[in-house]
Amino acid sequence: MRRPADFVATQGGGRAGSGLVVAYASRRQDNQRLLGLAVSKAVGNSVIRHRVTRRLRAILASQLVQIPNGTGVVVRALPPAATAEYSTLRSSVSNCLGRAIEKASR
């Protein structure tokens, strides 16, 4: 995702959160699968934000099979994600992503 309108449209669907991330998912009219990340300055300085972003990208790349076509997904990192272990972050994203997609498909 690159356009702000895509991020806003995705927030209208299903939402699921944990202590580390919040995942938003929504159905799209076209058959595209769009993914977006939101890592604000509240997470940490530039180095920390980029580390969290790289980790989230790797996690989402491994979760692509779980995301159906025609779905928009945004994963927003919360400040505790900066100090979380990779395995903990991965399980949190996977759990939230599954719940958000399930809510969006209803």
Side-chain angles (χ1 to χ4, degrees), residues 1 6 10 26-34 70-72:
M1 277 185 208
D6 291 333
T10 301
S26 68
R27 301 294 300 159
R28 297 180 48 83
Q29 296 300 327
D30 54 3
N31 202 20
Q32 289 184 336
R33 183 183 335 172
L34 289 181
T71 303

Side-chain angles (χ1 to χ4, degrees), residues 3-103:
R3 298 181 317 162
D6 291 333
F7 281 86
V8 172
T10 301
Q11 290 182 347
R15 175 188 180 279
S18 70
L20 301 176
V21 296
V22 178
Y24 301 92
S26 68
R27 301 294 300 159
R28 297 180 48 83
Q29 296 300 327
D30 54 3
N31 202 20
Q32 289 184 336
R33 183 183 335 172
L34 289 181
L35 305 174
L37 296 175
V39 183
S40 73
K41 286 186 179 182
V43 173
N45 65 25
S46 178
V47 174
I48 293 171
R49 287 194 315 269
H50 282 86
R51 181 181 341 132
V52 171
T53 301
R54 285 191 306 271
R55 287 180 174 181
L56 289 175
R57 273 192 200 131
I59 291 166
L60 285 175
S62 69
Q63 298 290 324
L64 276 178
V65 185
Q66 184 180 351
I67 303 169
N69 286 336
T71 303
V73 171
V74 172
V75 176
R76 182 171 54 98
L78 299 176
T83 57
E85 295 281 331
Y86 181 81
S87 59
T88 307
L89 188 60
R90 183 180 59 220
S91 65
S92 180
V93 168
S94 178
N95 185 15
C96 290
L97 190 59
R99 290 185 298 149
I101 290 172
E102 180 182 324
K103 288 179 182 179

